[in-house]
Structures are given as structure tokens and as C-alpha cells.
Amino acid sequence: MSQDPKRQSPDSTPAEPTLARQVGIKATRKLKARRNGTPKVWFGLGMMGLIGWSVVVPTLLGTGLGLWLDQRYPGGRSLTLALLMAGLTVGCLNAWYWVSQEDRAMHQEQEDDNA
């Protein structure tokens, strides 16, 4: 007699987790969310502020330094524009760093939840 292909032998492991395991994982995740709390609106606004200021501050510093240098040392080239672009570049790299840190932390938390 041939075995029914829909049935699995008792010693074979199923490809998907059992229902009880799935429910346990979801219950653990919900308990952890209740314990840690969800990020509030203020967290999101704070993160936007952090990213915004990390771009604005270097840009303004570069512009201010460029204006000061152009007043002190007049020449054919505009140091204001060059340092504005340099400050903007540094600010964008700084913002990218903060966003990647948050992304890394979120992925690490998800891996910890799944483990």
C-alpha cells in the first residue's frame, strides 16, 4: 500500500511552524509591545527634528563661514557658495548616519523578536 501524500510521517518536521508556535510568537510579541510601549507621536517629531537640524546646522555654519571669508578675502571665487555646498553635503551625510542607525536598531529588534 502506498501512503497518502497529504499525511506526514510522525518523524518528519513540518515546513511551517505549528499553530501553537505561531500563537505563542504573536503573544510574546504583543506582550513585549505592551511592556515597551509603542513609539509616540513625539518620538517621530523628535526624529524629524533631529534629522532636520543635522542638515541645517552644518549648512548654516558653512554659509556663515563662507560669507565671513568672502568679506575678509575678496576674490574671484565665491567661497560662500562652495562652503554652502560643503555644509549641505556634511549635513546630508549626518542625516543619513542617523537614519541608518535607527534602521539598524529596528532590524535588530525584529531579529530579537523572531529569535
Side-chain angles (χ1 to χ4, degrees), residues 76-94:
R77 297 187 179 130
S78 173
L79 292 173
T80 302
L81 186 58
L83 290 176
L84 171 101
M85 293 306 294
L88 185 62
T89 302
V90 168
C92 288
L93 290 173
N94 195 13

Side-chain angles (χ1 to χ4, degrees), residues 6 19 29 37 41 59 61 67 72 83 86 89 97 106 115:
K6 294 179 185 175
L19 179 62
R29 199 175 299 152
V41 173
T59 303
L61 288 174
L67 284 170
R72 297 277 186 240
L83 290 176
T89 302
Y97 170 77
M106 286 185 343

Side-chain angles (χ1 to χ4, degrees), residues 8-60:
Q8 293 181 349
S9 63
D11 44 306
S12 70
T13 57
E16 295 183 16
T18 63
L19 179 62
R21 179 152 170 74
Q22 289 176 350
V23 169
I25 290 171
K26 286 184 180 184
T28 304
R29 199 175 299 152
K30 282 185 179 183
L31 287 173
K32 184 177 181 184
R34 280 189 187 157
R35 194 171 45 246
N36 294 340
T38 57
K40 304 290 183 204
V41 173
W42 293 113
F43 176 78
L45 291 174
M47 185 55 67
M48 283 193 316
L50 175 72
I51 292 169
W53 282 110
S54 69
V55 174
V56 168
V57 169
T59 303
L60 290 177

